[in-house]
Amino acid sequence: MPVSIGGVASGMDTDAIITKLMEVEARPIKKLQYEIAESNDRKKALGFLNDSLKALSDSARDLYGFRASYDEKKAVSSNPSVLEVTASKLADPGVRKVEVVKLASNHKIATDQIEEDSKLKTGKIVLKVNGEEHTIKFKGGKITSLKDRIDEVAGESVSTSVIRIGGDKFVLSIESKVQGEKGKIGVEGDLGFLREIGLASGEKITDQKTAGLIFDRRYFSPYAGSVAGEGQDGSLAVSEDGKSVTIDGMLWQEYALPVQADVKKDTVLEFDFKRPVEEKKDEPVPSRVIMGPDERIVVKGIELKGYNVSRIREEEKKPPEKEYDSAAGVGVVYTDEAGVRNEKRYIIDEKAEGRQQMPIGADFEGRKISRVFFYSNKGKSVFSNAAISTPVKDDKSYEIKNQIAPAEDAVVKLDGIEIKRDRNSDLNDIIKGVTMNLRQASERPVDVKIEADAEKSIDKIKKFVEAYNKYIDLNRQLVKTEEVSKPGESKSQGNSERGIFSSDMSVIRIESTVKRIVNGAYPNSADRQIKILPQIGVSTGKVNAAWETIKTGKLVVDEAELKKVIVENPEGVKLFFGSDTDADTRIDSGMAYALEEMLKAYVGFGRNVISSKIDLENENIRISNDRIARHEDHLKKHEAKLRAKFGAMERAISGANSQKNWMNQQMGNSGGNSK
């Protein structure tokens, strides 16, 4: 590419001339760039305005409807380490006494001690917790393998741990993840395997089938068996209610059951037994009195005469005591199909007292007994509250052998009334509107004080006032006008700059509308009506405040007055900010409602005034950038034209100079030849 050096022929600095001409030609671009900068400034300002109005709208929305509640309550526990409480607006003010008697517990069971390296056999465990059933099929292995298998199958209902007891002895503990009685762990499966690891001891007794014996003297008869002692001379007495039989002395009696009783393996004959202490008999009167010889006694020098009386008691000849194998006892009688009598006698220890149980099922399983007999060989014996009982067992659910912690419900007393619940947390149905969390049992009641809570409402109102005041400050900067000291004075001579939206009426009108709504009066149907903001302690300034403070329009909160009004008149405050005037269950009036509705046009969802203005600025920027791009293309072409023209001029001047030099040379040469 040829290199051009401007001004060689003409002697002018053509590059400088072209640069100056291009600067003049580029002036429209600088103007457009300035306009873009202004648009960006307006966009930034509109963003600040949008954020400020959005904050004001959001804070106004929090002052009415379901988001706002001026009748909030708070609950305070006198001992949070025992009882934590929170209250909703539904709680009734007052003081309640709550005693935490017992916390709900998680059921926890364990195996027997098992050596770490012991290889357990295969087996099946079925764990039932809160209606959920988990079947664990164990293929055998160490205790840790059993733990892992339980975690894999039943981990959602129970947690397990292997605990070292000492040396190489370990136990596997299983704890329910559900609190209270509903979280009780039921164990089923292979009873042999469960017994081997010590998780169950046997079939679970779910009920007791009991047939009580009510005695009637008419159904007693002498004992018809062959083992009774001789010389029976005792007596039998039946109490009026038929629940007690007393035998005094030696006597054997059998009682015919009204209905034959079925006997199973675990059936027992049970009754209360006692032997009253016999009263001691008075000593017999001596059989004769013998007068002895006279006696002389000297007392302090005085001689006294007397005589000796000798009482002689003849020894009574007692018959020798009979020897018996027992003082008392009971028995049952079974008669087979051939009419043969079968019986079994159960001896009672002479010193025994209280409830006795005779295992008749071990001797008469599958039989029907028709009679029972009672006997006493000496002294007095009392048999009472007799019954034939058979435990009802569940052949699937088994008795837990090692129970570490029972499954128990929480027990609390509310004002002395006992209440049970299956958990310790989130108890929201004991005190109306109050949620309780039980932390530990207590020996004395905890005071729960419920009172009005104005703090949340105060915070929301203060947040609204803060958002309002920030908007007022921002708007003042955006729409302020140029101030001059006298007519005709220019901006450079004034003492303040103009706001970026000082001539934008849509922005200017926002402030006046906001102030009108906030300081307006609204209908109120409360018994104690609140119609304007100053009635709740929020105003543009206290009485006698300086005008410079009042004229800004910013709000000031008297927190003490605000709290008093909210506590004493929550309904009035609520209806001031938002109320339903046509009974259609929809809020349609109130200061906060009206303000939020107005601001929807400016910062609501979708297209609004602010977003439209931002879109307009973006469009202006786009148009300006397009114009700049087109003008830059024009500048390139214009510069090329200038350089071409100046280049042509340089070539013309250079050609003229060359011709002149040639002519000068010719003329000079001619003169020399003439000489």
Side-chain angles (χ1 to χ4, degrees):
M1 182 177 179
V3 178
S4 62
I5 302 175
V8 174
S10 64
M12 296 185 295
D13 188 355
T14 57
D15 286 338
I17 294 172
I18 292 173
T19 300
K20 293 294 184 181
L21 291 173
M22 290 302 298
E23 288 178 357
V24 173
E25 193 68 19
R27 284 179 180 175
I29 291 180
K30 292 189 175 182
K31 181 181 179 182
L32 290 171
Q33 289 174 337
Y34 177 76
E35 291 175 354
I36 290 174
E38 283 192 327
S39 292
N40 282 322
D41 288 343
R42 283 193 293 272
K43 276 180 57 180
K44 186 176 181 181
L46 287 169
F48 290 146
L49 181 61
N50 180 79
D51 293 344
S52 181
L53 291 177
K54 186 68 169 56
L56 182 60
S57 177
D58 291 344
S59 62
R61 186 171 60 251
D62 287 342
L63 296 180
Y64 75 94
F66 69 90
R67 296 178 183 82
S69 181
Y70 300 96
D71 52 359
E72 288 282 354
K73 306 294 191 308
K74 65 179 179 181
V76 180
S77 169
S78 63
N79 192 345
S81 64
V82 171
L83 178 66
E84 292 181 353
V85 290
T86 57
S88 71
K89 62 182 180 181
L90 300 177
D92 297 324
V95 178
R96 310 298 296 272
K97 291 188 177 296
V98 179
E99 180 181 353
V100 182
V101 179
K102 181 172 60 177
L103 294 179
S105 59
N106 297 72
H107 195 202
K108 189 173 184 179
I109 61 177
T111 63
D112 285 341
Q113 295 184 23
I114 299 173
E115 292 184 1
E116 184 179 11
D117 295 330
S118 294
K119 184 174 177 59
L120 304 177
K121 298 179 181 178
T122 61
K124 182 177 75 173
I125 302 174
V126 180
L127 298 178
K128 291 185 175 182
V129 181
N130 193 27
E132 298 290 332
E133 183 175 304
H134 307 280
T135 301
I136 297 101
K137 295 180 180 179
F138 182 57
K139 296 181 179 180
K142 296 182 180 180
I143 188 173
T144 52
S145 299
L146 178 58
K147 173 194 181 305
D148 294 340
R149 183 61 180 152
I150 295 174
D151 289 342
E152 179 183 353
V153 177
E156 62 184 39
S157 297
V158 299
S159 59
T160 63
S161 61
V162 174
I163 305 170
R164 182 191 294 272
I165 301 302
D168 61 350
K169 301 287 186 179
F170 292 81
V171 298
L172 170 63
S173 70
I174 304 174
E175 183 175 6
S176 173
K177 291 184 177 180
V178 181
Q179 282 186 336
E181 293 180 0
K182 70 179 183 180
K184 189 173 184 179
I185 302 173
V187 179
E188 300 177 5
D190 296 339
L191 182 57
F193 176 69
L194 295 171
R195 279 177 169 166
E196 179 187 355
I197 63 176
L199 204 56
S201 58
E203 296 175 345
K204 185 176 182 179
I205 298 175
T206 59
D207 198 1
Q208 192 83 3
K209 187 177 180 181
T210 302
L213 301 182
I214 303 299
F215 299 110
D216 188 331
R217 186 66 180 84
R218 294 173 297 174
Y219 296 101
F220 277 97
S221 61
Y223 170 70
S226 59
V227 296
E230 299 179 354
Q232 298 185 32
D233 58 357
S235 62
L236 180 142
V238 179
S239 63
E240 292 183 2
D241 60 7
K243 293 183 178 181
S244 175
V245 174
T246 302
I247 298 178
D248 191 0
M250 182 179 181
L251 185 67
W252 291 53
Q253 291 279 295
E254 59 184 51
Y255 181 72
L257 299 178
V259 179
Q260 290 186 337
D262 292 325
V263 178
K264 299 187 181 300
K265 181 179 179 180
D266 298 313
T267 301
V268 297
L269 171 63
E270 57 182 357
F271 52 87
D272 293 327
F273 177 75
K274 68 177 180 178
R275 288 177 61 82
V277 179
E278 296 184 9
E279 297 180 358
K280 292 183 179 181
K281 298 180 179 180
D282 296 335
E283 292 184 358
V285 178
S287 57
R288 58 179 177 167
V289 178
I290 302 175
M291 302 298 292
D294 292 344
E295 291 184 352
R296 295 178 180 273
I297 301 174
V298 178
V299 179
K300 294 183 178 182
I302 301 174
E303 183 178 324
L304 300 175
K305 293 182 178 181
Y307 58 87
N308 183 22
V309 179
S310 175
R311 294 178 175 83
I312 300 175
R313 178 185 299 168
E314 294 183 354
E315 294 184 2
E316 296 181 0
K317 295 182 179 181
K318 297 181 180 180
E321 290 188 1
K322 296 181 180 181
E323 294 184 358
Y324 304 101
D325 62 355
S326 59
V330 296
V332 296
V333 178
Y334 155 68
T335 303
D336 61 20
E337 295 178 356
V340 178
R341 177 187 173 101
N342 297 276
E343 66 178 49
K344 173 72 175 181
R345 183 167 63 104
Y346 302 94
I347 295 172
I348 303 174
D349 188 279
E350 186 174 358
K351 297 180 180 180
E353 187 170 332
R355 197 69 175 170
Q356 310 294 314
Q357 289 187 333
M358 305 304 171
I360 63 177
D363 302 299
F364 295 95
E365 181 181 3
R367 310 294 186 183
K368 289 181 179 291
I369 59 174
S370 57
R371 291 173 175 268
V372 297
F373 60 86
F374 302 88
Y375 72 87
S376 176
N377 286 326
K378 61 179 179 178
K380 183 182 290 187
S381 299
V382 180
F383 307 85
S384 59
N385 300 317
I388 297 174
S389 299
T390 302
V392 179
K393 295 185 176 181
D394 187 341
D395 60 353
K396 293 183 178 180
S397 185
Y398 305 128
E399 287 288 349
I400 302 298
K401 182 178 181 182
N402 302 302
Q403 180 170 264
I404 309 303
E408 295 182 330
D409 287 342
V411 178
V412 299
K413 287 184 178 180
L414 175 63
D415 298 331
I417 300 174
E418 186 170 286
I419 300 168
K420 286 187 176 183
R421 290 294 181 269
D422 60 9
R423 61 190 188 281
N424 297 319
S425 301
D426 299 324
L427 302 179
N428 54 12
D429 59 348
I430 295 178
I431 301 177
K432 178 184 175 183
V434 175
T435 299
M436 302 192 300
N437 294 319
L438 312 182
R439 295 305 179 203
Q440 63 179 353
S442 61
E443 297 180 355
R444 61 184 64 184
V446 174
D447 288 338
V448 177
K449 185 178 181 181
I450 305 167
E451 58 187 3
D453 182 12
E455 300 305 322
K456 293 180 182 178
S457 299
I458 291 174
D459 288 343
K460 289 183 177 181
I461 292 174
K462 289 170 67 176
K463 182 179 179 181
F464 168 77
V465 170
E466 181 182 0
Y468 176 85
N469 290 339
K470 284 185 177 180
Y471 162 69
I472 294 297
D473 284 338
L474 174 64
N475 193 71
R476 185 178 299 112
Q477 296 299 318
L478 297 178
V479 302
K480 67 181 178 179
T481 58
E482 183 179 21
E483 297 180 4
V484 295
S485 58
K486 57 184 178 180
E489 189 176 50
S490 66
K491 177 180 177 181
S492 60
Q493 297 172 310
N495 52 25
S496 176
E497 294 183 357
R498 291 167 59 86
I500 197 168
F501 295 118
S502 60
S503 59
D504 191 326
M505 295 307 299
S506 61
V507 176
I508 294 172
R509 281 195 298 268
I510 299 176
E511 180 180 3
S512 60
T513 306
V514 168
K515 286 184 176 180
R516 176 179 55 79
I517 292 174
V518 170
N519 295 297
Y522 297 89
N524 197 310
S525 60
D527 293 336
R528 297 169 58 187
Q529 297 181 356
I530 294 177
K531 293 187 175 183
I532 58 176
L533 202 56
Q535 286 182 272
I536 66 172
V538 180
S539 64
T540 55
K542 296 183 178 180
V543 178
N544 299 324
W547 170 246
E548 292 297 325
T549 301
I550 296 174
K551 73 176 183 178
T552 62
K554 295 170 69 174
L555 297 176
V556 178
V557 178
D558 185 338
E559 194 166 334
E561 179 65 19
L562 177 59
K563 182 176 182 179
K564 178 182 178 183
V565 175
I566 292 175
V567 171
E568 296 178 355
N569 187 15
E571 185 68 12
V573 177
K574 172 185 175 182
L575 295 179
F576 168 73
F577 286 114
S579 64
D580 174 18
T581 59
D582 54 9
D584 64 350
T585 68
R586 298 179 65 180
I587 294 175
D588 54 26
S589 182
M591 187 274 281
Y593 167 80
L595 182 60
E596 187 198 7
E597 286 295 307
M598 184 277 290
L599 290 175
K600 285 180 180 178
Y602 294 91
V603 293
F605 291 108
R607 193 170 180 82
N608 54 59
V609 174
I610 302 297
S611 65
S612 296
K613 284 183 172 294
I614 292 175
D615 290 343
L616 179 60
E617 298 300 335
N618 285 329
E619 181 64 15
N620 290 337
I621 292 172
R622 185 190 67 79
I623 293 173
S624 295
N625 282 327
D626 288 346
R627 292 175 64 185
I628 289 173
R630 290 196 299 270
H631 201 73
E632 285 177 342
D633 288 341
H634 163 71
L635 290 177
K636 290 179 182 178
K637 294 176 181 179
H638 184 65
E639 182 178 6
K641 289 180 180 180
L642 289 176
R643 291 194 180 278
K645 288 179 180 181
F646 277 98
M649 182 189 73
E650 287 291 328
R651 286 193 297 275
I653 294 174
S654 177
N657 289 336
S658 296
Q659 188 176 14
K660 178 182 177 183
N661 291 334
W662 178 80
M663 291 177 67
N664 288 334
Q665 289 176 0
Q666 290 299 321
M667 291 175 67
N669 291 333
S670 296
N673 292 330
S674 59
K675 291 180 177 180

